[in-house]
Amino acid sequence: LTMKELSENGRASAERRRISNIVSFPPLRRRFCRARSIPPDAGVAREKAETRQTFNLANAPKNIACDWLLRSGTGQTMAFHKRKGESREHVLMKAMMWSMKDGQYPGTLFVEHNLENYKYTPDCIALDPKCPSTVRWWGEAGGLSSAKWLAIVKEYPEADFTFAKWGVNLKGVYPNFAKLLREQSPKKRRGWTQRDKGSANKACGTVELLSFPTDAAQLFFFPDTQELVIDGSKIQRIVMSHSGDIIESNCLGQ
């Protein structure tokens, strides 16, 4: 054999060894193949989404996230989202407050609307259409800390407020709340500047306490039409001034 033939044979032998090594390369371990070969099941995700829509506002479990497009008594619609872990009573109170105030603040009501440069997010809020930074009404469902109330009233002293409770007798609640309002007055409150006191003296808003009955879903919510029709005579209601004086009530015998 000539040197050229030996060189070509050597290159052919090296190529065969390279191909042999590729073919005989050991396969990936089984655990790696199993972890990488199963794609996400789109059918399962679609089934979960369909399951979320089967619950109505009256029977949604607490551990399920749901979305509803509800209609008020005036015919307006609003989207409500129940987060996982949030009670349906809390969502229902927000929806009923929105439905009750829709006629008073048409087209200016929002649910869980983030305010610019403000740390608190209201459950419901009505803004001034001519000046969107002006709060006309603020609604909260459930508990309210004194620190939160102090911050809100300092920031929006001329706004109206509504605080909704679920199945609570307001006769036992309003005295402590009125006391809190009186103690939060500028003359007794610490940490207020002279400018804060001047703003508070201009306050003309009201503080409204509501207590919805425990069967409110059956009384006011119609699943077939997703409509909320509120009968005010079945709701306990107390309206006070920012200084804690009672203006109106339907449950105190006045």
Side-chain angles (χ1 to χ4, degrees):
L1 296 174
T2 65
M3 294 299 294
K4 181 178 181 180
E5 290 174 339
L6 288 173
S7 177
E8 290 175 354
N9 289 340
R11 285 196 297 269
S13 178
E15 182 67 17
R16 284 194 298 271
R17 285 196 302 271
R18 188 180 69 82
I19 295 174
S20 177
N21 288 338
I22 294 175
V23 173
S24 61
F25 190 83
L28 293 174
R29 291 186 178 182
R30 188 176 185 84
R31 66 174 181 271
F32 296 133
C33 295
R34 183 183 303 115
R36 299 178 60 179
S37 62
I38 302 177
D41 189 349
V44 173
R46 183 168 55 253
E47 182 180 352
K48 289 183 178 180
E50 292 174 354
T51 301
R52 287 176 58 181
Q53 300 299 324
T54 59
F55 298 104
N56 63 45
L57 193 56
N59 63 11
K62 190 172 184 179
N63 62 338
I64 297 293
C66 300
D67 299 282
W68 299 284
L69 185 64
L70 302 181
R71 187 182 303 276
S72 69
T74 62
Q76 299 296 319
T77 58
M78 179 68 72
F80 287 85
H81 173 69
K82 189 187 87 63
R83 296 178 293 271
K84 185 177 180 180
E86 184 180 13
S87 67
R88 61 178 178 269
E89 289 83 6
H90 187 253
V91 181
L92 186 58
M93 283 191 288
K94 289 188 290 186
M96 289 189 293
M97 281 195 299
W98 162 76
S99 181
M100 292 176 67
K101 299 298 182 178
D102 183 55
Q104 187 176 352
Y105 305 103
T108 62
L109 281 176
F110 301 90
V111 176
E112 295 186 345
H113 176 75
N114 291 322
L115 298 171
E116 186 176 359
N117 299 324
Y118 196 58
K119 62 180 179 178
Y120 292 120
T121 300
D123 288 333
C124 299
I125 193 169
L127 303 176
D128 191 330
K130 298 181 180 180
C131 182
S133 62
T134 301
V135 176
R136 299 177 62 192
W137 172 75
W138 184 302
E140 287 286 334
L144 178 74
S145 67
S146 57
K148 185 174 182 179
W149 163 254
L150 174 60
I152 296 173
V153 76
K154 285 177 65 177
E155 190 72 18
Y156 307 106
E158 298 182 9
D160 293 327
F161 294 90
T162 297
F163 302 107
K165 305 293 182 181
W166 184 265
V168 173
N169 188 348
L170 293 184
K171 291 182 179 180
V173 172
Y174 94 90
N176 292 333
F177 207 95
K179 180 182 178 181
L180 174 64
L181 291 174
R182 288 191 293 269
E183 291 176 350
Q184 298 298 323
S185 64
K187 294 181 180 180
K188 296 183 179 180
R189 185 165 27 230
R190 296 180 179 179
W192 275 55
T193 65
Q194 192 64 35
R195 179 181 177 183
D196 294 327
K197 295 179 181 180
S199 298
N201 289 334
K202 298 179 182 179
C204 59
T206 60
V207 178
E208 179 184 43
L209 300 181
L210 299 178
S211 179
F212 294 107
T214 55
D215 58 348
Q218 290 74 30
L219 292 174
F220 309 135
F221 178 61
F222 297 87
D224 294 339
T225 59
Q226 296 293 292
E227 187 176 9
L228 286 163
V229 179
I230 312 300
D231 183 357
S233 64
K234 297 181 180 179
I235 300 172
Q236 289 190 21
R237 180 173 179 264
I238 299 176
V239 181
M240 295 180 289
S241 67
H242 279 202
S243 59
D245 299 323
I246 297 178
I247 300 174
E248 183 182 352
S249 171
N250 68 353
C251 60
L252 297 179
Q254 296 180 356

